[in-house]
Amino acid sequence: MKKIVLALIAGVLAVSLMAATAGAKRTAAPPTLKPGTLIVGLTPPAPGFQVGTLKGTSVVNPKGMEVDLAKDIAQKLGLKKVEWYYQASFPKSYAPGPKPYDLYFGEETITPERSKNVDYSIPYIDADQGAMLRKGLSPAPKSIADLKKLTLCAQAGTTGAAYIKAHIKPTKALYPSTTSIMYQQVQSKQCDAAIYDIPILGAEKAAHPTRYGDIVGRIVTHEQYGIVFQKGSKLRAVVNPVLKGLIKDGTVGKLQKKWLSTNFAELPVFK
């Protein structure tokens, strides 16, 4: 009789252990909106970062640095499918309320104000200001003092323009109304170096490598891009360690170099 009771107890314990193990596996699955699928919000076009064909609320055949990074994250999470959701209005990405996607990429700067409504990942790009030279400029500047001797340009009203006025104070500076004019000034050699968001300079350089000289350095302004999550999303805690690993193993740097022409972390800092 005792053997029978012990056998029954062992059986119950085995069943309980199996149930607990199954429960653990279910808990380990990434908490996405759709099981086995990562739904990624995008707002293309942003050359270098994300481009694709728009079809209703979908982005078909997207390409770019952020697209590849999203795919890498999905793979690391064990998710076999990625769906691309078209977020037509960029401000909606950081507006309060539920989101129709698991996470969003949009070269979005992390700010305290936006963080009241949404959650952000750890930064995947330090979006400092960069200096992109005109072709043929030599020697290349290596310091703020060197930049001061050049004719600089930055789009009016930007962080770059403000930094030129407040800190570099060159003999001559141009403040065009658009980035298109700024790029033209660099190409025509009216401007020796454009001071602008380094990821955007990188994308322009990658798209038109023969039009410009090198991106030679960065000015630290502590602007950072982060992945956006709905406020309180449980997925953020799962994605952050994966993103940290992709940064540490050099994957993010390689994607920056592939799509944005430069691994920003390797650039010297102007002082």
Side-chain angles (χ1 to χ4, degrees):
M1 183 67 179
K2 185 179 291 185
K3 290 182 179 179
I4 295 174
V5 172
L6 289 173
L8 288 171
I9 292 173
V12 170
L13 289 173
V15 171
S16 298
L17 182 60
M18 290 173 63
T21 302
K25 288 181 180 178
R26 284 194 296 271
T27 302
T32 54
L33 293 173
K34 187 185 294 187
T37 301
L38 184 68
I39 303 175
V40 179
L42 301 173
T43 306
F49 289 95
Q50 48 176 271
V51 295
T53 303
L54 306 181
K55 190 175 181 180
T57 57
S58 298
V59 183
V60 180
N61 195 30
K63 292 181 173 63
M65 183 257 175
E66 290 173 323
V67 172
D68 281 358
L69 181 54
K71 289 178 180 178
D72 286 338
I73 290 171
Q75 183 180 34
K76 293 289 186 181
L77 292 176
L79 299 170
K80 297 182 179 179
K81 187 177 180 181
V82 181
E83 293 182 1
W84 309 97
Y85 182 91
Y86 175 46
Q87 173 69 75
S89 171
F90 171 71
K92 283 187 178 180
S93 66
Y94 54 83
K99 309 297 180 187
Y101 40 74
D102 295 302
L103 52 84
Y104 172 86
F105 277 96
E107 312 87 66
E108 187 158 323
T109 302
I110 303 168
T111 70
E113 190 64 29
R114 292 173 179 174
S115 296
K116 294 176 183 177
N117 299 329
V118 295
D119 289 332
Y120 288 97
S121 69
I122 60 172
Y124 61 93
I125 283 183
D126 288 327
D128 294 321
Q129 298 296 293
M132 183 171 71
L133 307 184
R134 63 171 174 81
K135 289 187 70 172
L137 181 69
S138 182
K142 297 181 179 180
S143 65
I144 295 295
D146 290 341
L147 289 175
K148 187 181 180 70
K149 302 171 186 175
L150 305 178
T151 297
L152 305 179
C153 53
Q155 183 183 1
T158 63
T159 303
Y163 194 92
I164 290 173
K165 294 175 182 178
H167 301 285
I168 303 177
K169 300 176 182 178
T171 303
K172 185 177 181 181
L174 307 174
Y175 301 106
S177 58
T178 68
T179 54
S180 296
I181 297 174
M182 179 183 75
Y183 294 140
Q184 289 170 7
Q185 290 172 338
V186 177
Q187 291 176 64
S188 64
K189 300 185 179 182
Q190 298 176 62
C191 170
D192 294 318
I195 307 297
Y196 201 60
D197 288 14
I198 197 167
I200 299 174
L201 288 180
E204 174 68 14
K205 170 71 174 174
H208 308 288
T210 62
R211 294 182 182 178
Y212 311 99
D214 293 333
I215 299 173
V216 293
R218 58 193 173 96
I219 299 166
V220 177
T221 53
H222 303 291
E223 298 164 88
Q224 297 174 312
Y225 292 167
I227 304 170
V228 186
F229 298 86
Q230 180 176 307
K231 196 71 176 175
S233 170
K234 294 180 180 179
L235 186 62
R236 176 179 176 271
V238 179
V239 169
N240 267 343
V242 170
L243 180 56
K244 186 176 181 179
L246 291 171
I247 293 170
K248 188 175 181 180
D249 69 12
T251 297
V252 173
K254 290 176 183 176
L255 291 178
Q256 287 180 10
K257 199 162 188 176
K258 174 184 177 181
W259 291 103
L260 308 176
S261 79
T262 305
N263 181 351
F264 311 136
E266 295 177 352
L267 291 173
V269 175
F270 287 116
K271 296 179 180 179

